[in-house]
Amino acid sequence: MAEERRDLYEVLGVSKNASDNDLKKAYRVLAKKYHPDANPGDAEAEAKFKEASEAYAILSDPENRRKYDQFGFAAFDQNGAGDGGFGFDFADMGDIFGDIFGDMFGGGSRQRQSNGPVKGADIRTTVRVTFEEAIFGTQTEIELPLKDECPVCKGSGAQPGHPPDTCTKCGGKGQVVYTQQSLFGMARTVQTCPDCTGSGKIIKFKCSNCAGSGYVKSKKTIQIKVPSGIDNGQSIRLREMGEPGINGGQRGDLLVTVLVDKHPVFQRQGYDIYSSEPISFTQAALGGKVQLNTIDGPYNYDIAPGTQTNTKVKLKGKGVPTLKNKTVRGDHYVTLVVQVPENLTDEQKSILNQYESASGPAVNTRSSTDSAGDFSFGGHKKKKFRK
């Protein structure tokens, strides 16, 4: 009894009126999921991959799709009702598979030139600045060993008078194509030429100045402009200050990561600054002007009489300048901490005792009617905090 075969549209998970683009998308998903390279040794995945590939091979061809829609699989059987003659062969999938996946899994049929211009690699380094320099910006410099084109061979890597030869293995293309039998039939893989390492040239007489690399290293001093508002860990990109390009490609970039020193007073969160400021007992009680420390310098601020400890003050626009517009700044939040004097003179103690007598009962004096677990505060009973 012949094995029952699933409907091809069902295999791909599409409707019978699916467009060519729908078919391609559906097949791409299934092929990536069940490809043998992604599922080594999995016979079930290999069978599903083959089933999906056969379905796409038939339905992606307009004539074969028309036959299948009219006669089903009988259209491709030698003894079927249709005109037959469709011998499915995975070798036919070479161009289809390459068209969908390119060089994915090494099975594509397209070739790409590897000896064209290639941008150089980026270089990464760090620079350390103070908290204030990060807030307001600064100019600093670093010293780095950078590559430059060899002045003797002009970047060719060959000794003057002995130009490089065209690689005979790849014909100067920098790539070689290998063809081998695989699950799909004859599969073509494109690899970097092992003889010229992708350059397309063979250097027989290397430049004595750069040992054939085409570049020489030298220490260079680079000016770094640190913008105002930059935060710890953010990077500055200097275009075309990295490694030289290959085959005429542009240089890479220099990425400088900024490390910001901590400040003994200020902490930063985004574009806002936070700090705490001590005030005296009398300042808190009577109010008046106090001097607050900000990143811009001392700032006079009026506090209200009876200010409590841990009162937070917002100084609008006294924070960090934004990177996009240094005239737009965050805010500075100051926590006021009332300082209780520790070493009092006899005169000071006498004055405070007079104040206490004039104020009435002490706020933490327990009344005789309080329960053992309560204490009196401002005329109201409060529960004691338990740890």
Side-chain angles (χ1 to χ4, degrees):
M1 182 178 178
E3 181 183 355
E4 185 178 351
R5 302 168 73 179
R6 285 205 299 159
D7 177 76
L8 298 184
Y9 293 102
E10 180 186 339
V11 170
L12 294 180
V14 296
S15 64
K16 289 192 176 183
N17 58 354
S19 66
D20 292 342
N21 192 46
D22 293 335
L23 293 173
K24 180 179 287 189
K25 286 181 179 179
Y27 172 62
R28 181 183 178 90
V29 172
L30 294 172
K32 287 178 68 177
K33 182 177 180 180
Y34 296 116
H35 193 282
D37 288 353
N39 303 274
D42 190 335
E44 183 180 355
E46 182 177 333
K48 289 183 177 180
F49 176 78
K50 182 177 180 180
E51 183 183 42
S53 298
E54 180 181 16
Y56 182 71
I58 294 174
L59 298 180
S60 62
D61 181 277
E63 180 60 21
N64 287 324
R65 183 177 182 179
R66 182 191 64 79
K67 294 178 182 178
Y68 176 76
D69 287 344
Q70 185 174 2
F71 301 107
F73 286 108
F76 311 112
D77 294 336
Q78 292 294 333
N79 298 320
D83 47 7
F86 182 86
F88 181 77
D89 185 349
F90 272 106
D92 298 329
M93 289 295 293
D95 291 335
I96 295 174
F97 198 75
D99 177 59
I100 294 180
F101 293 97
D103 291 330
M104 186 181 294
F105 306 120
S109 61
R110 295 180 181 178
Q111 295 185 23
R112 295 178 297 185
Q113 289 294 100
S114 66
N115 60 342
V118 179
K119 182 181 178 180
D122 293 338
I123 298 176
R124 294 181 180 273
T125 188
T126 60
V127 64
R128 185 171 290 278
V129 298
T130 66
F131 188 87
E132 290 84 357
E133 288 173 335
I135 299 298
F136 298 111
T138 187
Q139 192 88 14
T140 187
E141 60 183 32
I142 57 175
E143 192 175 67
L144 285 177
L146 295 178
K147 289 181 181 179
D148 283 313
E149 185 181 89
C150 175
V152 176
C153 67
K154 307 301 180 185
S156 70
Q159 189 69 16
H162 301 277
D165 296 329
T166 300
C167 178
T168 55
K169 187 174 185 66
C170 65
K173 295 180 179 179
Q175 295 178 327
V176 289
V177 180
Y178 296 98
T179 304
Q180 59 184 5
Q181 186 70 31
S182 73
L183 176 66
F184 324 114
M186 298 304 294
R188 288 163 287 182
T189 59
V190 181
Q191 298 179 5
T192 300
C193 177
D195 289 4
C196 65
T197 62
S199 68
K201 302 289 183 181
I202 298 294
I203 301 175
K204 292 183 178 180
F205 300 94
K206 295 182 178 180
C207 174
S208 58
N209 188 54
C210 65
S213 68
Y215 305 102
V216 290
K217 273 190 175 183
S218 61
K219 284 190 175 181
K220 291 188 176 182
T221 301
I222 302 171
Q223 298 294 322
I224 307 292
K225 183 179 180 181
V226 180
S228 58
I230 197 165
D231 206 351
N232 183 59
Q234 291 183 323
S235 296
I236 302 168
R237 182 182 292 271
L238 301 180
R239 301 288 181 183
E240 298 190 28
M241 293 293 290
E243 294 283 355
I246 300 173
N247 296 326
Q250 69 180 51
R251 295 186 74 106
D253 301 331
L254 175 61
L255 300 175
V256 183
T257 300
V258 179
L259 304 178
V260 182
D261 291 333
K262 290 186 177 180
H263 195 277
V265 176
F266 305 126
Q267 294 85 43
R268 174 178 175 175
Q269 292 184 19
Y271 290 114
D272 294 328
I273 295 177
Y274 293 82
S275 67
S276 60
E277 196 74 38
I279 59 174
S280 69
F281 171 78
T282 52
Q283 285 176 320
L286 302 177
K289 288 188 179 297
V290 295
Q291 197 173 75
L292 305 179
N293 291 311
T294 73
I295 198 68
D296 297 310
Y299 181 85
N300 290 324
Y301 183 83
D302 284 323
I303 62 172
T307 295
Q308 302 298 304
T309 193
N310 291 330
T311 296
K312 288 181 172 55
V313 171
K314 177 180 178 180
L315 305 180
K316 189 171 179 60
K318 289 292 183 180
V320 182
T322 61
L323 285 170
K324 292 183 179 180
N325 185 353
K326 63 181 181 180
T327 63
V328 178
R329 300 176 58 173
D331 303 320
H332 186 165
Y333 295 89
V334 182
T335 300
L336 302 177
V337 180
V338 178
Q339 299 293 295
V340 179
E342 296 180 357
N343 300 313
L344 297 174
T345 66
D346 291 339
E347 182 182 3
Q348 290 170 332
K349 291 178 181 178
S350 175
I351 294 173
L352 286 177
N353 283 325
Q354 292 177 34
Y355 165 76
E356 182 73 13
S357 297
S359 300
V363 293
N364 65 342
T365 300
R366 187 191 302 272
S367 68
S368 58
T369 59
D370 288 341
S371 63
D374 298 338
F375 65 92
S376 177
F377 186 81
H380 300 282
K381 291 183 178 181
K382 299 289 183 181
K383 290 290 185 182
K384 291 176 66 177
F385 291 103
R386 292 186 174 87
K387 291 184 179 180

